[in-house]
Amino acid sequence: MTRTEKAKPARQSATPPKRGRGRPRKTHDEINDGNRRLALLKSAAKLFRRKSFGATTTRDIAVEVGMHNGSSYYHFKSKKALLLAVMEEGLTRGIRHQIEMLQSFGLGPEAGAAPLPKNVDPRRLLAALIRNHLDILLIKEREFVPVMLFEWRSLTPHERRGIGRLQDEYEAVWMRVLESLHRAGQLVCEVKLARLMLFGALNWTSRWFETSKTEQGGLDLDGVASAASRLILIEKA
Amino acid sequence: MTRTEKAKPARQSATPPKRGRGRPRKTHDEINDGNRRLALLKSAAKLFRRKSFGATTTRDIAVEVGMHNGSSYYHFKSKKALLLAVMEEGLTRGIRHQIEMLQSFGLGPEAGAAPLPKNVDPRRLLAALIRNHLDILLIKEREFVPVMLFEWRSLTPHERRGIGRLQDEYEAVWMRVLESLHRAGQLVCEVKLARLMLFGALNWTSRWFETSKTEQGGLDLDGVASAASRLILIEKA
DNA sequence: CCTACCGATCGGTAGG
DNA sequence: CCTACCGATCGGTAGG
């Protein structure tokens, strides 16, 4: 393990030094791009989530997927890029799940762009959004999404804006629902505050909710979800 | 800046190597214990809060208080010890603030140990607790307390239990109030869930509330506080 | 994606 | 609390 002195290869100036990492064609055995990239993403998410970004080394991540340290840099240009990719993955997955759920209300992907149609009950839609949110946060995407919540401080202002745009996309429908409810006098406070409080209560669950206890069904999630609904609605059932 | 070879002082084996750090008497100019320790604590809190524990170096902290890197180890045995001290400081301060506030309700420091006296209105007390909590979290101890919320993952299970005991101490009165309200049928859900949701909504404010906007008075805090009250209470005013 | 590295930094310590 | 360090690690890179 001693570091031996070695002649460094002279920088060859005839052709510009083109790095091997640039090209997509596989040079070795099995570089299964999509799979390996996703594996890295998942391991990174898992570790960032549990140990935090700062306490996770790129070696930790590589080892988890059975790679050698430097190899992750074939897929991601830096540790920070991995963090961003994890957050983006979580958000786009969340958005996707939400779009699917909205279909059962006859709503398309652009549902957040305009006021709610008259034929949807905002109370029922809110309940569904909340239930779906908990499902994403605590079950389906429990590795990815919390990283965004916990590691917000690890982003630069510019990076935050980027992630923020995706969050806005996710929250657009919520805003419509809350506005509709507020107009009907059914919110305990103004829309903006209601949204912040609601997401506060919901997102905080990722700190105390343990999957293990209610595995295989997520029974208790219904309880949390309905409590959250009643939180911001007037006229309790 | 080149690192020159130097003869290392031979370990003198006659007397056991006693480190200078062990004794409390000042060996040099101005080691103003209490002050310097607190200064370190404050700087650490500020940096841990803004940049996260992992992204803050012991040098960052030392520089902020005008010390040289190694000197912080005179006051704290490790970076981790600094983190723990920050969290403990935040919690004990919070507990202290809360005890003071409770006096105006005729309640002593042990108010959380037994059911609430008949003569206190649980609704008013809850409102006061909430308002006070926001004041601690966002104004008075805004450097210390959020570190505990944000850096929970940086603690070992054992360390978490230690901090957890202080949290329980802080939350004891809250539990009494919530139990009282639940018995009176004024909570939107069961006590345990109400507590989690409420603290979720409240603690989350440290992520979006900016002091700058409402400085000099914290006007808007009242709005947030009253909204939070209405969140978990039935029979909205 | 592996091998074989490197420069910089970082937490921490000895001794005064 | 300062000076003067050190060992280990860490993010990252060149070249194949």
Side-chain angles (χ1 to χ4, degrees):
Chain A
M1 267 300 180
T2 55
R3 196 176 283 173
T4 52
E5 285 291 289
K6 236 194 164 171
K8 255 209 259 179
R11 200 37 161 296
Q12 160 188 354
S13 54
T15 47
K18 195 115 190 189
R19 295 214 246 100
R21 240 176 310 125
R23 60 222 144 114
R25 68 197 139 96
K26 317 179 182 177
T27 36
H28 283 290
D29 329 46
E30 32 178 8
I31 304 182
N32 192 334
D33 250 16
N35 274 340
R36 288 339 340 252
R37 196 191 125 95
L38 187 58
L40 276 169
L41 226 40
K42 281 182 177 168
S43 298
K46 195 167 137 193
L47 291 167
F48 288 163
R49 202 227 133 123
R50 195 194 324 144
K51 309 202 310 177
S52 86
F53 180 67
T56 302
T57 71
T58 56
R59 280 165 179 81
D60 290 338
I61 299 168
V63 163
E64 265 246 334
V65 300
M67 279 184 190
H68 285 243
N69 167 241
S71 303
S72 65
Y73 291 88
Y74 174 81
H75 297 279
F76 298 93
K77 76 171 221 290
S78 68
K79 191 188 174 191
K80 188 59 148 319
L82 245 172
L83 176 62
L84 278 170
V86 164
M87 293 189 182
E88 277 158 18
E89 181 73 15
L91 268 169
T92 56
R93 284 179 183 220
I95 291 170
R96 213 146 52 220
H97 290 306
Q98 186 165 274
I99 287 176
E100 274 174 43
M101 186 278 286
L102 289 174
Q103 288 177 359
S104 59
F105 280 81
L107 295 170
E110 301 298 326
L116 282 187
K118 301 271 159 55
N119 62 328
V120 305
D121 174 6
R123 287 179 77 102
R124 281 196 52 237
L125 181 49
L126 180 70
L129 283 170
I130 287 173
R131 179 55 233 247
N132 192 243
H133 185 76
L134 290 177
D135 210 39
I136 291 167
L137 182 66
L138 304 174
I139 310 283
K140 288 179 185 159
E141 311 302 342
R142 84 186 99 134
E143 307 288 6
F144 288 111
V145 176
V147 172
M148 180 186 59
L149 304 179
F150 295 156
E151 292 298 341
W152 191 247
R153 272 147 48 263
S154 299
L155 303 181
T156 65
H158 177 257
E159 291 164 342
R160 286 181 201 188
R161 273 192 290 279
I163 300 292
R165 269 190 286 277
L166 282 174
Q167 287 179 330
D168 290 344
E169 202 177 320
Y170 180 80
E171 293 180 14
V173 209
W174 294 70
M175 290 304 285
R176 299 311 170 187
V177 179
L178 292 177
E179 281 157 8
S180 167
L181 287 165
H182 190 246
R183 268 194 301 276
Q186 295 188 44
L187 274 197
V188 297
C189 61
E190 39 139 351
V191 173
K192 201 188 156 197
L193 204 48
R195 178 182 61 96
L196 289 165
M197 299 281 222
L198 179 56
F199 275 112
L202 293 178
N203 291 340
W204 196 252
T205 60
S206 61
R207 210 13 221 260
W208 54 263
F209 186 84
E210 299 114 40
T211 321
S212 44
K213 285 200 300 187
T214 42
E215 201 78 65
Q216 284 175 325
L219 323 169
D220 214 22
L221 274 193
D222 287 326
V224 181
S226 83
S229 286
R230 275 170 297 163
L231 231 50
I232 59 162
L233 291 178
I234 292 179
E235 295 171 20
K236 320 282 176 165
Chain B
M1 263 309 175
T2 55
R3 195 177 283 175
T4 52
E5 285 291 288
K6 239 192 162 175
K8 256 207 259 178
R11 224 335 186 326
Q12 162 188 353
S13 54
T15 48
K18 195 118 193 187
R19 295 211 248 103
R21 239 175 313 121
R23 59 221 146 118
R25 68 197 140 97
K26 317 178 182 178
T27 34
H28 283 290
D29 327 47
E30 29 177 11
I31 303 182
N32 191 333
D33 250 17
N35 274 339
R36 298 315 11 236
R37 197 193 124 94
L38 187 58
L40 276 169
L41 226 40
K42 281 183 178 168
S43 298
K46 196 169 137 190
L47 292 166
F48 289 163
R49 201 225 135 121
R50 194 193 326 142
K51 310 201 310 177
S52 87
F53 179 66
T56 301
T57 71
T58 56
R59 279 164 180 82
D60 290 338
I61 299 168
V63 164
E64 265 246 333
V65 299
M67 279 184 191
H68 285 245
N69 167 240
S71 303
S72 65
Y73 291 88
Y74 173 80
H75 298 278
F76 298 94
K77 76 172 220 288
S78 68
K79 191 187 174 191
K80 187 59 147 323
L82 246 172
L83 176 63
L84 279 170
V86 165
M87 293 189 182
E88 277 158 19
E89 181 73 15
L91 268 168
T92 55
R93 284 178 183 221
I95 290 171
R96 213 148 49 222
H97 290 306
Q98 187 165 275
I99 287 176
E100 275 174 43
M101 186 277 286
L102 289 174
Q103 288 175 359
S104 60
F105 280 82
L107 295 171
E110 301 299 325
L116 283 187
K118 299 271 158 58
N119 63 327
V120 304
D121 175 5
R123 288 178 77 102
R124 282 195 53 236
L125 181 50
L126 180 70
L129 282 170
I130 287 174
R131 181 54 235 247
N132 192 245
H133 185 77
L134 291 177
D135 210 39
I136 292 166
L137 182 66
L138 305 172
I139 311 284
K140 289 177 184 161
E141 311 303 343
R142 83 187 100 135
E143 308 289 6
F144 288 111
V145 176
V147 171
M148 179 187 60
L149 303 179
F150 295 156
E151 292 297 343
W152 191 247
R153 272 147 48 265
S154 299
L155 304 182
T156 66
H158 178 257
E159 292 163 340
R160 287 182 201 187
R161 273 191 291 278
I163 299 293
R165 270 190 286 275
L166 282 173
Q167 287 179 330
D168 290 344
E169 202 177 320
Y170 180 81
E171 293 180 13
V173 208
W174 294 70
M175 289 304 285
R176 299 310 170 187
V177 179
L178 291 177
E179 281 157 9
S180 167
L181 286 165
H182 190 246
R183 269 195 300 276
Q186 295 189 47
L187 274 198
V188 297
C189 61
E190 38 139 350
V191 172
K192 199 188 157 198
L193 205 47
R195 179 182 61 96
L196 289 165
M197 299 280 221
L198 180 55
F199 275 112
L202 293 178
N203 291 340
W204 196 252
T205 60
S206 62
R207 206 25 214 257
W208 55 263
F209 185 85
E210 299 114 39
T211 320
S212 46
K213 286 201 300 186
T214 41
E215 201 78 67
Q216 284 175 326
L219 322 170
D220 214 22
L221 274 194
D222 287 326
V224 181
S226 84
S229 285
R230 275 171 297 164
L231 232 50
I232 59 163
L233 292 178
I234 292 180
E235 295 171 19
K236 319 283 176 166

